[in-house]
């Protein structure tokens, strides 16, 4: 399989969480959006060389990709504030960890890694998978939190005004459709991006 193999019209980016094993045996938990085929038989990841996910995958060659509707977990993982760490289970098909509250999981092994550029290209084959609980379903607030989490990782990269405008836009579906988890996750991200004072006085705060 070549580095450009996962490019067909029936393949897409799936947002989720990747767990890998750190050198000390602990778990690294990182949101990631690999390109996947609809049968989830392979993944194509593009982490930066500075990321722990890349460093762990280069060392171990194994990880687990999770599909989850827990947007609070995604929000906290996106900015590296997972305290306390979520409940983990031992992976079955690779050396690694499963998120106990994920909906689905896909254990994978690296088949090809190209790191000649700052953003790496890592091709992986899925070697096992399972379902831990049903997926909740589509919800606009959950999708808004996911977009806000991506914005939070762009702080210092995108102009501050652009990020603030996007957060204001995303606050609308949160106001209209969120439950408690989604509101908490969105406020967490807005506090991270804007600071508690600015977030509190924002006219779009849900």
């Amino acid at each position: 399989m070549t580095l450009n193999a996962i490019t067909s019209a029936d393949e897409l980016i799936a947002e989720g969480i990747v767990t890998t094993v750190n050198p000390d045996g602990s778990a690294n938990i990182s949101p990631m959006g690999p390109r996947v085929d609809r049968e989830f038989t392979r993944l194509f990841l593009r982490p930066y060389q500075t990321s722990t996910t890349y460093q762990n995958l280069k060392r171990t060659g194994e990880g687990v990709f999770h599909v989850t509707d827990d947007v609070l977990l995604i929000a906290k993982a996106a900015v590296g504030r997972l305290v306390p760490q979520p409940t983990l289970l031992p992976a079955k098909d690779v050396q690694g960890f499963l998120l106990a509250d994920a909906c689905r999981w896909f254990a994978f092994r690296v088949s090809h890694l190209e790191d000649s550029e700052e953003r790496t290209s890592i091709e992986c084959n899925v070697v096992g998978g399972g379902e831990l609980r049903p997926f909740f379903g589509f919800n606009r607030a959950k999708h808004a939190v996911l977009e806000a989490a991506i914005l939070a990782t762009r702080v210092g990269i995108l102009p501050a005004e652009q990020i603030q405008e996007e957060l204001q836009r995303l606050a609308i579906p949160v106001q209209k459709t969120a439950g408690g988890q989604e509101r908490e996750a969105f406020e967490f991200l807005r506090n991270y991006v804007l600071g508690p004072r600015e977030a509190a006085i924002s006219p779009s705060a849900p």
Side-chain angles (χ1 to χ4, degrees):
M1 183 168 64
T2 66
L3 285 176
N4 295 318
I6 305 181
T7 57
S8 78
D10 204 37
E11 292 160 339
L12 69 163
I13 291 176
E15 301 293 344
I17 293 180
V18 170
T19 57
T20 54
V21 180
N22 294 320
D24 64 0
S26 63
N28 179 68
I29 302 171
S30 178
M32 196 156 291
R35 181 169 290 277
V36 303
D37 61 308
R38 291 188 182 273
E39 292 74 30
F40 270 96
T41 63
R42 52 188 180 163
L43 311 173
F44 181 54
L45 302 166
R46 298 208 65 206
Y48 287 96
Q49 289 195 30
T50 53
S51 72
T52 303
T53 297
Y54 156 75
Q55 294 165 9
N56 287 346
L57 288 178
K58 183 165 186 177
R59 190 185 73 258
T60 70
E62 298 181 328
V64 184
F65 177 72
H66 302 79
V67 175
T68 181
D69 52 21
D70 185 344
V71 292
L72 184 57
L73 173 63
I74 291 174
K76 291 182 176 181
V79 297
R81 294 189 178 179
L82 270 178
V83 180
Q85 195 173 72
T87 303
L88 299 169
L89 303 171
K92 299 178 180 179
D93 300 280
V94 295
Q95 292 292 320
F97 303 92
L98 304 181
L99 294 170
D101 194 44
C103 300
R104 301 171 68 193
W105 60 270
F106 301 90
F108 64 83
R109 291 195 179 98
V110 173
S111 59
H112 189 93
L113 187 150
E114 174 58 59
D115 57 3
S116 59
E117 299 180 359
E118 180 183 7
R119 191 167 187 184
T120 64
S121 298
I122 306 177
E123 298 178 12
C124 309
N125 294 323
V126 173
V127 297
E131 182 175 336
L132 296 172
R133 64 175 176 84
F135 183 76
F136 175 80
F138 293 111
N139 174 265
R140 291 177 63 203
K142 288 184 181 293
H143 288 283
V145 173
L146 178 61
E147 292 295 332
I150 294 171
L151 279 176
T153 67
R154 302 296 190 266
V155 172
I157 300 174
L158 296 177
E161 296 79 7
Q162 180 181 342
I163 292 178
Q164 292 177 20
E165 289 174 1
E166 285 296 305
L167 285 175
Q168 290 178 349
R169 179 182 64 81
L170 293 169
I172 296 173
V174 173
Q175 286 177 313
K176 292 181 177 180
T177 68
Q181 181 194 90
E182 293 75 31
R183 290 181 185 276
E184 182 181 354
F186 192 75
E187 283 304 306
F188 168 83
L189 290 168
R190 187 154 51 189
N191 287 340
Y192 175 84
V193 173
L194 302 178
R197 182 178 179 278
E198 288 190 43
I201 64 176
S202 170
S204 61

